[in-house]
Amino acid sequence: MKHDLRPECASDYMDPDALRALQLARLQETVRRCHERVPLFRQRMDKRGLAPDDIHSLDDLARLPFTDKNDLRDTYPYGLFAEPMSNIVRIHASSGTTGKPIVVGYTREDLGVWSEVMMRSFIMAGMDEHDVLQNAYGYGLFTGGLGAHGGSERLGSTVIPISGGNSERQMLVLKDFGVTAICCTPSYFIHLIEHIKETGVPLSELKLRVGIFGAEPWSDAMRAYIQREAGIRAHDIYGLTEIIGPGVGIECREQNGLHIFEDHFLMEIVDPDTGAVLPDGAEGELVITTLTKKAFPMVRYRTHDITAIMPGRCACGRTLRRIRRIRSRCDDMMIIRGVNVFPSQIEAALLSVESTLPHYQIILTRKGGLDQMEVRVEVTKEMFGDRVSELEAMRKRLAHAIEHTTGLRIPVILAEPHTIARSEGKAKRVIDRRAECAEIP
Ligand code: DLL
């Protein structure tokens, strides 16, 4: 069956007016449920003098209060649940940057929604029931492993629940089990590519043809590297624990923006400072309202992820609107000598120079009250064996590439292969040592 004709994916092609009508009905129902069952939400609605019946159109969404990560912390662990525990069949959590984790719950019906959006994600990436999926996202409290697992089973592809880590075993499975599709973080996949190359198995001998990578930002340059080195198509998948996990949106075969499953998730782009809703095409913070979640509905959740809604229809024919790939979060911006810099800009600059590996770290320190940045980047084995003058020329090329992208002169340090820590999950690109640099007066 042609992927785009599958009945399970009919909502991908819904008439836009019918989709808006469905969204409004589901929004009204969600607001009603939250008002009835979530005290924090009710208090905030009351404070604004708003009742569930005041939501007459999708434009009324802007009248509703935002929800933020702090609200989840303040009501830890179950304060925002809209169902009694007897109806909760699964808990997931994400380790926040500070202190307590973010805890979310799912009813059986919610798990059905999740496996549906993950199944549709896999189909959008060109998979079907003949595929064998190596699921190298971590299983456990992290949503990646079990989220992809449910989607694959619903699709009917064969899932190998290998979880993250143990690169030797990953390679064995990749080689011997007829794996055609893989999912993991992009940083873990480049680690695997490196491992495979070192063991001398030609990547062309593998059956692997598609990768579904997400859970962290990765640049177009990183995609080009992955596709070239592994000879596969690499799709970007997006999601977050608070909303459902992976499966909020994914790139189709056009690889030109991520389609959001708008029948389940209502998106807005707002100004991160003022909260004002921005028009399509404008860059800002993504805010998501869930439309079908029962246990953990979210109204206007501030994701902190920076993107824009792409105007126009995708060439693939789907009517689901797209967002641009997420390059950064509002909270990962660094200010160096008054210039805003995102880690993704550094990555793109480094990867534009040949003979470097996509393993790098950004080290932040503080001197004289000002933030300082230094970049460590690994070079290939061949390059490292070269003469000192050539290494110096390479260092200058990298520094120049960064200056070209950011306008800043940043010290670059070349590192030997394998000296920068590899991750099994999300990569830690920024090492923040600013607190250790507190100056003694
Ligand atoms: O990372 C869920 C997920 C699992 C997504 C597997 C995709 C694949 P959290 O751990 O809660 O959930 O982290 C969510 O990760 O707000 C973004 O900042 C970032 N993120 C997730 N996907 C992408 C992506 C999972 N494709 C946070 N590109 C989000 C850029 C991403 N950033």
Side-chain angles (χ1 to χ4, degrees):
M1 186 185 278
K2 266 190 83 175
H3 300 304
D4 46 353
L5 295 179
R6 298 175 79 114
E8 310 91 296
C9 300
S11 309
D12 292 9
Y13 299 90
M14 237 174 137
D15 167 69
D17 288 337
L19 177 63
R20 303 285 158 246
L22 178 73
Q23 286 183 318
L24 176 60
R26 289 181 167 176
L27 173 67
Q28 287 167 330
E29 167 66 18
T30 300
V31 170
R32 198 165 295 120
R33 276 176 64 82
C34 290
H35 188 263
E36 216 175 87
R37 298 164 178 235
V38 184
L40 181 78
F41 185 76
R42 188 168 50 247
Q43 283 157 21
R44 287 192 177 158
M45 290 274 285
D46 291 351
K47 219 166 160 186
R48 291 173 177 230
L50 268 179
D53 285 344
D54 293 331
I55 306 301
H56 304 292
S57 77
L58 289 177
D59 290 338
D60 289 327
L61 181 63
R63 301 169 67 193
L64 293 168
F66 288 120
T67 311
D68 204 334
K69 207 172 235 164
N70 289 330
D71 299 327
L72 276 76
R73 295 218 173 92
D74 294 346
T75 54
Y76 172 87
Y78 301 146
L80 295 183
F81 284 18
E83 288 285 337
M85 284 311 279
S86 54
N87 290 344
I88 306 291
V89 298
R90 171 98 64 81
I91 294 285
H92 278 283
S94 79
S95 48
T97 36
T98 49
K100 302 249 170 66
I102 298 296
V103 183
V104 299
Y106 303 75
T107 61
R108 191 164 287 121
E109 213 176 331
D110 293 333
L111 290 182
V113 169
W114 196 9
S115 63
E116 177 202 312
V117 288
M118 278 309 292
M119 170 192 67
R120 286 163 68 187
S121 298
F122 288 141
I123 293 172
M124 243 197 245
M127 283 173 59
D128 63 23
E129 56 275 24
H130 302 292
D131 277 294
V132 177
L133 174 71
Q134 181 154 343
N135 184 9
Y137 281 124
Y139 280 65
L141 286 177
F142 177 55
T143 52
L146 282 164
H149 187 102
S152 175
E153 286 193 343
R154 177 109 173 229
L155 173 63
S157 49
T158 310
V159 61
I160 305 175
I162 189 163
S163 195
N166 196 343
S167 305
E168 286 303 323
R169 184 167 349 133
Q170 299 277 357
M171 286 202 352
L172 176 115
V173 167
L174 205 49
K175 220 158 43 79
D176 295 349
F177 287 26
V179 170
T180 56
I182 189 165
C183 52
C184 58
T185 58
S187 54
Y188 188 54
F189 189 67
I190 56 169
H191 173 50
L192 284 180
I193 293 181
E194 184 178 49
H195 216 75
I196 295 168
K197 280 166 81 179
E198 277 168 8
T199 51
V201 179
L203 277 147
S204 54
E205 275 181 16
L206 303 178
K207 287 194 178 158
L208 193 63
R209 60 179 188 82
V210 60
I212 292 113
F213 305 117
E216 63 185 7
W218 51 304
S219 60
D220 288 335
M222 182 77 91
R223 190 217 301 271
Y225 174 87
I226 289 176
Q227 298 198 141
R228 186 178 65 239
E229 294 294 319
I232 64 171
R233 225 180 36 251
H235 290 257
D236 191 1
I237 184 165
Y238 171 74
L240 60 165
T241 313
E242 297 89 317
I243 296 303
I244 201 159
V248 173
I250 187 166
E251 288 174 327
C252 64
R253 293 171 72 109
E254 299 293 325
Q255 295 177 309
N256 182 21
L258 288 85
H259 290 278
I260 299 294
F261 292 106
E262 292 184 280
D263 45 333
H264 295 290
F265 311 112
L266 193 53
M267 57 172 167
E268 299 168 273
I269 299 289
V270 306
D271 180 317
D273 297 323
T274 64
V277 179
L278 299 176
D280 283 10
E283 189 172 85
E285 179 181 348
L286 179 65
V287 170
I288 304 177
T289 300
T290 63
L291 294 174
T292 48
K293 292 253 306 290
K294 294 282 189 278
F296 198 77
M298 274 285 111
V299 174
R300 304 195 84 200
Y301 185 70
R302 305 280 301 244
T303 65
H304 285 14
D305 292 319
I306 301 288
T307 181
I309 295 176
M310 294 171 63
R313 189 72 66 81
C314 182
C316 75
R318 289 182 181 83
T319 47
L320 297 174
R321 289 180 303 163
R322 293 161 296 160
I323 56 166
R324 283 214 304 259
R325 299 185 70 202
I326 289 157
R327 283 186 299 124
S328 55
R329 292 175 54 80
C330 332
D331 40 18
D332 71 2
M333 187 177 78
M334 303 166 285
I335 303 176
I336 306 293
R337 299 198 281 282
V339 178
N340 300 348
V341 190
F342 290 102
S344 54
Q345 290 176 292
I346 304 288
E347 177 177 302
L350 295 177
L351 286 174
S352 70
V353 176
E354 265 178 47
S355 299
T356 53
L357 292 167
H359 298 294
Y360 66 94
Q361 263 176 355
I362 296 165
I363 296 151
L364 291 181
T365 52
R366 185 166 285 156
K367 206 169 160 192
L370 291 178
D371 289 350
Q372 312 282 330
M373 180 191 282
E374 182 181 283
V375 175
R376 289 183 65 210
V377 57
E378 279 188 18
V379 295
T380 55
K381 242 197 314 228
E382 299 74 41
M383 186 71 206
F384 217 82
D386 283 348
R387 283 206 310 265
V388 175
S389 58
E390 284 176 29
L391 280 173
E392 180 53 20
M394 157 71 82
R395 208 188 54 71
K396 281 196 178 136
R397 273 208 301 282
L398 289 166
H400 186 258
I402 295 175
E403 188 175 353
H404 185 73
T405 320
T406 63
L408 288 168
R409 288 198 182 168
I410 304 283
V412 173
I413 295 165
L414 300 185
E416 283 183 54
H418 291 293
T419 49
I420 292 178
R422 307 294 191 250
S423 74
E424 290 173 3
K426 300 179 191 243
K428 189 158 172 50
R429 301 287 191 202
V430 180
I431 310 292
D432 193 346
R433 299 212 176 109
R434 285 175 296 185
E436 299 160 30
C437 303
E439 280 150 74
I440 300 153

